[in-house]
Amino acid sequence: MQRLTISVNKQLAFSFDELIKRKGYRNRSEAFRHLLRKELRQEPASTHPTGDCVGCLSYTYDNQKPQPAQRLAEIKHRFLNITVSSSLTAIEQSMSMETLILRGSFDEVAAFADAIAGEDDVGGGHLNFVPLIRRCE
């Protein structure tokens, strides 16, 4: 095994320790290895270097703040060519959830999801990939 050393803020460390308890991991190393493997399996470049996919991206954000909504709209406009559909739902008075169906290359869909997830005010985001397999005729 190779040792990695990471630094995180106090809140992230606390949240990670709570996750470890909920999931029943024996220690931080076991939890980190599991999460890293899971992330690497989701990485499109490692499993599907070429080809197209359909992706379902869902995330929440605070709809009472004008800046997050504006920034999200700008990102969505940059990726308009791969957006198939969009559904926006009010979860609470100050929270909305958006679900986007995306179609394009794995790299394009992943770049879109990364841009959305990288916004500070976005929470609870998840991307699911489904490869498009073309049948030979």
Side-chain angles (χ1 to χ4, degrees), residues 6 10 12 19 21 26 28-29 35-36 40 47-48 57 65 68 70 73-75 79-80 89 94 98 111 133:
I6 62 171
K10 202 178 279 190
L12 186 58
L19 175 77
K21 289 177 193 170
R26 290 184 300 242
R28 285 177 169 172
S29 291
L35 293 171
L36 185 56
L40 290 172
T47 57
H48 303 283
L57 173 62
K65 297 179 183 176
Q70 178 63 32
E74 290 168 4
I75 293 168
F79 291 93
L80 201 55
T89 304
S94 65
E98 185 160 27
I133 300 171

Side-chain angles (χ1 to χ4, degrees), residues 90-102:
I91 301 299
E92 296 174 353
Q93 185 170 350
S94 65
M95 183 184 293
S96 291
M97 179 174 186
E98 185 160 27
T99 299
L100 303 168
I101 304 299
L102 310 168

Side-chain angles (χ1 to χ4, degrees), residues 69-82:
Q70 178 63 32
R71 288 193 312 265
L72 292 171
E74 290 168 4
I75 293 168
K76 289 187 285 187
H77 279 95
R78 285 199 326 254
F79 291 93
L80 201 55
N81 60 322
I82 66 169

Side-chain angles (χ1 to χ4, degrees), residues 16-113:
F16 188 53
D17 289 339
E18 291 298 308
L19 175 77
I20 290 168
K21 289 177 193 170
R22 282 194 313 276
K23 298 277 187 172
Y25 295 116
R26 290 184 300 242
N27 53 51
R28 285 177 169 172
S29 291
E30 180 184 6
F32 182 78
R33 284 190 298 270
H34 178 263
L35 293 171
L36 185 56
R37 284 187 197 106
K38 182 178 175 182
E39 180 66 24
L40 290 172
R41 279 194 306 270
Q42 286 289 326
E43 182 68 29
S46 66
T47 57
H48 303 283
T50 61
D52 289 339
C53 71
V54 176
C56 180
L57 173 62
S58 297
Y59 59 91
T60 59
Y61 67 95
D62 184 343
N63 61 28
Q64 300 295 305
K65 297 179 183 176
Q67 288 181 332
Q70 178 63 32
R71 288 193 312 265
L72 292 171
E74 290 168 4
I75 293 168
K76 289 187 285 187
H77 279 95
R78 285 199 326 254
F79 291 93
L80 201 55
N81 60 322
I82 66 169
T83 302
V84 176
S85 71
S86 171
S87 177
L88 182 63
T89 304
I91 301 299
E92 296 174 353
Q93 185 170 350
S94 65
M95 183 184 293
S96 291
M97 179 174 186
E98 185 160 27
T99 299
L100 303 168
I101 304 299
L102 310 168
R103 181 178 181 163
S105 72
F106 280 93
D107 289 341
E108 288 174 312
V109 172
F112 187 5

